[in-house]
Amino acid sequence: KQEVTQIPAALSVPEGENLVLNCSFTDSAIYNLQWFRQDPGKGLTSLLLIQSSQREQTSGRLNASLDKSSGRSTLYIAASQPGDSATYLCAVGGGSYIPTFGRGTSLIVHP
Amino acid sequence: GAGVSQSPSNKVTEKGKDVELRCDPISGHTALYWYRQSLGQGLEFLIYFQGNSAPDKSGLPSDRFSAERTGGSVSTLTIQRTQQEDSAVYLCASSWGGTGGKGSPLHFGNGTRLTVT
């Protein structure tokens, strides 16, 4: 059974810092890995999707990398802003069609 | 609409009543998922549809929970004889689940916040 772990569980940083959020998974036989953000009281918004054949994806200040062999993905946020404050979740898609989610990293960026 | 739509956005019900939660997926998305998120918890998988069939119902927590999908589109999650522990946000997601669709992204609705009093 796939297990997904996100570290750290919570993070509080001053504005402007570069951040790294970690996601690890136990079964490397994955199809894709997706990063989401969730604002309080809202659903999940997709940020980046990395296919299993890819090493990284970039969108604006966000960069996500994938290392299947070591079972890890990182989400890099450059020059963090207060508007980046949210919970960030990763979801691993495997052969069962059922994506497995981590518990998330709660990020606060203070001015 | 362009995104996944869920209704109602909020539902308050008395213990013992039945509730129905609705999900309208993105047009053309054959895969539909229901998840539950309790306060301070991660996402708990409930059920997955491919078209109108549900190959995986393993996440439904009890026989009080059921779901159906009609016309390969709208899905309804029904909770009978609600209990206080059913209070949570119920999230629906859809994706293109055709051949090769295992690599397609999930798109979520804003959820239904269910409160059982």
Side-chain angles (χ1 to χ4, degrees):
Chain A
K1 177 185 173 184
Q2 179 74 271
E3 293 183 4
V4 180
T5 303
Q6 290 190 246
I7 295 174
L11 189 59
S12 180
V13 299
E15 181 177 6
E17 280 203 4
N18 299 324
L19 307 172
V20 176
L21 308 182
N22 296 291
C23 173
S24 62
F25 45 94
T26 55
D27 185 351
S28 61
I30 69 171
Y31 281 90
N32 61 40
L33 188 144
Q34 194 168 358
W35 282 94
F36 297 86
R37 71 173 277 166
Q38 185 176 30
D39 295 285
K42 300 291 187 181
L44 279 67
T45 300
S46 179
L47 298 173
L48 290 164
L49 172 73
I50 311 176
Q51 302 290 356
S52 61
S53 58
Q54 297 174 323
R55 298 279 302 184
E56 65 177 331
Q57 282 286 332
T58 298
S59 176
R61 293 181 295 108
L62 305 179
N63 175 276
S65 67
L66 175 64
D67 185 342
K68 277 181 55 178
S69 61
S70 66
R72 292 180 184 175
S73 176
T74 60
L75 179 66
Y76 177 82
I77 304 176
S80 58
Q81 303 171 357
D84 295 330
S85 299
T87 297
Y88 291 80
L89 297 102
C90 67
V92 176
S96 73
Y97 271 101
I98 312 299
T100 303
F101 281 81
R103 297 269 313 251
T105 293
S106 176
L107 172 65
I108 297 175
V109 181
H110 47 88
Chain B
V4 177
S5 178
Q6 292 188 245
S7 61
S9 55
N10 281 285
K11 176 71 177 179
V12 180
T13 190
E14 293 180 352
K15 178 181 173 180
K17 301 284 190 182
D18 297 352
V19 294
E20 283 190 354
L21 312 180
R22 176 187 169 104
C23 173
D24 271 288
I26 292 173
S27 178
H29 280 192
T30 58
L32 186 147
Y33 305 81
W34 283 98
Y35 287 87
R36 178 168 74 172
Q37 189 175 37
S38 301
L39 188 63
Q41 302 297 311
L43 268 72
E44 176 187 4
F45 166 75
L46 298 178
I47 189 169
Y48 155 66
F49 287 93
Q50 181 60 249
N52 289 337
S53 63
D56 194 327
K57 305 179 182 179
S58 62
L60 294 177
S62 76
D63 59 8
R64 296 186 295 105
F65 288 72
S66 63
E68 64 174 13
R69 189 179 185 194
T70 55
S73 181
V74 172
S75 177
T76 302
L77 177 68
T78 301
I79 309 173
Q80 296 179 309
R81 304 180 303 282
T82 52
Q83 303 294 314
Q84 288 187 331
E85 60 263 29
D86 299 333
S87 296
V89 175
Y90 290 80
L91 292 164
C92 175
S94 70
S95 69
W96 185 74
T99 303
K102 290 178 179 176
S104 53
L106 286 177
H107 298 266
F108 278 84
N110 280 330
T112 293
R113 181 175 299 277
L114 175 66
T115 303
V116 182
T117 61

